[in-house]
Amino acid sequence: MAEAGTGFLEQLKSCIVWSWTYLWTLWFFIMLFLVYILRVPLKINDNLTTVSMFLNTLTPKFYVALTGTSSLISGLILIFEWWYFRKYGTSFIEQVSVSRLRPLLGGVDNSAPSAASAAGGDADSNRQSVSECKVWRNPLNLFRGAEYNRYTWVTGREPLTYYDMNLSAQDHQTFFTCDTDHLRPADAIMQKAWRERNPQARISAAHEALELNECATAYILLAEEEATTIVEAEKLFKQALKAGEGCYRRSQQLQHHGAQYEAQHRRDTNVLVYIKRRLAMCARKLGRTREAVKMMRDLMKEFPLLSMFNIHENLLEALLELQAYADVQAVLAKYDDISLPKSATICYTAALLKARAVSDKFSPEAASRRGLSTAEMNAVEAIHRAVEFNPHVPKYLLEMKSLILPPEHILKRGDSEAIAYAFFHLQHWKRVEGALNLLHCTWEGTFRMIPYPLEKGHLFYPYPICTETADRELLPSFHEVSVYPKKELPFFILFTAGLCSFTAMLALLTHQFPELMGVFAKAFLSTLFAPLNFVMEKVESILPSSLWHQLTRI
């Protein structure tokens, strides 16, 4: 019996929810019609006359007290809402309406639940304090001569900042030079070339080094900065590969003969890995994606310890271009590990694969009626994880904010990383049917659930405070840097602020000009009810006066 009663109540509740969802307009007109029919028994006309007589007898002091009290109440609500938002990062009224009222009306919150419990001990081990912002080399950085310079020729704008190029110069000196370069004339020239600020001086020094010897680093510099097309850059990198392999074999035989030889072998290894990686990127840009994937896989097998180059992110992008989603999942399973540093590429690619399973049939309306399935919940949780790691990405993927050329260095969890990811991966999200729609329906809800203030974190370490400063150094001045966690104020805080200001202004005006504001209030109320009176007159002229008596007889 209890189960039957519970089932009947559930059916009744679902019927009421369905009626309010689709037939609210009909309900509204039915209620208006009933009010009109029952106007005589309910003495509506007499009550309206009494109310109008009461309003006419009110003095200006009443309006002053009324507006002053309303301003005080709305001000207290505003203060409480602002305090609650600063402490918990959400509006109290909005939270109550979503968590209490919406379930009664049959709604389902599309935002992802907190995944802290799902993460378990892994989340605790991953929470580590970050004292300063570490800048990383962009794994998919463009070619200066063939791509960045072309942008400058067309727009007249510099896509790279001095700070970004200075970091690249430091990287080149670290990877492509060693203490024994002064023993070889060509390498000595290139050691000075990497320190040059003037691009033409660097290019001239590279040509000078090639006149003395087949220098791999000289070919690298020319491929990066002098070549105006990817085809030219690829030719120069192939020449660099030939020279670099010879140096690598020679230094490999002598690497255990002393510290100097060990440093030289390390330098030759970095040069060889860099050349092979850039050749794979050239093949990818020229449309030979399968060849690029093979080169990247071979490079990762040959040098498995050089994770600082993040070659797996190049491999993920190329596999997504081939739509080899099973291979993408295999790469993610290897590199999406709690002990490895996360990136937007890892988090958002995992979200894309989860979304791909449900996005083609996902509908917000259907999900609100029946609730989220297990696969949809997994996809939403993956999006929540990605948005918590880098909340700047969705606006670029949804094309709510314009893209620029990515910098040569990125700040993880920053705007620079979001630009670099969206620049190369937007096409992959567009290719998966419904993926952007699912992201659009869920990312704002997950953004509101991101831990606030900064000291908190569900899945990742607290957000670095110096992020905005570092991003402004990495990104050009003409780009508007996205700032986080700069949450938009909830609607109810803005509403209460406007209501408090409006009622305070009315109280002040009523206190200063009581008679004038009384006339204005009466005129406003009469104007407000004029359309209703007009409709009632028309209805009375159309319907017979004895309709109520006929209905009572029936």
Side-chain angles (χ1 to χ4, degrees), residues 523-548:
F524 174 76
L525 290 176
S526 62
T527 305
L528 182 64
F529 288 104
L532 181 60
N533 294 331
F534 177 78
V535 172
M536 294 298 293
E537 292 176 359
K538 292 295 183 182
V539 172
E540 289 178 356
S541 63
I542 295 174
L543 294 178
S545 59
S546 60
L547 180 61
W548 169 249

Side-chain angles (χ1 to χ4, degrees), residues 100-227:
R100 303 297 181 187
L101 301 180
R102 192 173 181 184
L104 297 177
L105 299 177
V108 177
D109 189 8
N110 285 335
S111 60
S114 172
S117 58
D122 293 343
D124 295 332
S125 64
N126 196 33
R127 294 185 189 186
Q128 50 185 349
S129 59
V130 179
S131 58
E132 59 181 8
C133 292
K134 181 179 180 180
V135 177
W136 300 72
R137 182 81 178 174
N138 183 6
L140 295 167
N141 66 304
L142 305 178
F143 294 85
R144 285 192 185 178
E147 292 172 307
Y148 286 120
N149 286 348
R150 285 181 173 274
Y151 179 83
T152 305
W153 298 338
V154 174
T155 63
R157 292 176 171 180
E158 291 291 340
L160 299 176
T161 62
Y162 173 76
Y163 176 72
D164 191 17
M165 291 188 290
N166 186 48
L167 290 176
S168 297
Q170 296 177 17
D171 292 340
H172 295 153
Q173 293 174 46
T174 302
F175 293 144
F176 301 151
T177 62
C178 64
D179 296 335
T180 61
D181 284 346
H182 65 279
L183 301 176
R184 296 174 296 278
D187 290 334
I189 294 175
M190 289 306 302
Q191 192 175 37
K192 296 179 181 179
W194 295 121
R195 298 191 180 99
E196 287 285 349
R197 293 186 178 182
N198 188 351
Q200 292 301 323
R202 290 196 297 271
I203 293 173
S204 299
H207 283 292
E208 182 181 350
L210 287 176
E211 292 177 358
L212 298 177
N213 193 8
E214 288 290 313
C215 182
T217 55
Y219 282 121
I220 290 176
L221 193 149
L222 295 179
E224 291 285 351
E225 301 193 25
E226 188 182 43

Side-chain angles (χ1 to χ4, degrees), residues 409-469:
H409 289 80
I410 59 175
L411 181 66
K412 289 192 174 183
R413 309 187 73 183
D415 192 27
S416 53
E417 184 192 32
I419 292 171
Y421 172 79
F423 187 86
F424 294 100
H425 288 262
L426 175 59
Q427 57 180 335
H428 306 315
W429 279 81
K430 287 184 175 181
R431 187 179 293 119
V432 177
E433 182 182 357
L436 290 177
N437 177 48
L438 179 60
L439 178 66
H440 176 72
C441 295
T442 56
W443 84 273
E444 289 183 343
T446 57
F447 181 74
R448 286 194 294 269
M449 296 183 65
I450 291 176
Y452 187 89
L454 293 175
E455 288 74 16
K456 297 181 180 179
H458 287 329
L459 302 175
F460 303 101
Y461 50 83
Y463 209 84
I465 302 176
C466 59
T467 301
E468 180 181 358
T469 304

Side-chain angles (χ1 to χ4, degrees), residues 257-328:
H257 291 189
Q260 291 183 344
Y261 293 105
E262 185 70 28
Q264 184 176 344
H265 176 68
R266 190 183 310 114
R267 190 278 308 268
D268 293 337
T269 303
N270 292 335
V271 169
L272 184 62
V273 171
Y274 186 89
I275 294 171
K276 289 186 175 182
R277 182 214 187 116
R278 292 305 255 179
L279 278 172
M281 295 176 69
C282 287
R284 167 68 183 91
K285 291 176 183 292
L286 294 174
R288 306 195 306 270
T289 310
R290 296 188 181 278
E291 178 184 344
V293 168
K294 183 179 183 305
M295 295 172 68
M296 293 174 191
R297 289 188 184 278
D298 293 343
L299 186 58
M300 294 168 66
K301 290 179 181 179
E302 188 177 359
F303 302 98
L305 300 179
L306 291 181
S307 59
M308 59 184 174
F309 288 102
N310 292 325
I311 304 174
H312 60 276
E313 296 196 10
N314 299 84
L315 179 60
L316 285 173
E317 195 279 329
L319 290 174
L320 286 173
E321 177 64 21
L322 293 176
Q323 302 184 40
Y325 298 110
D327 294 336
V328 173

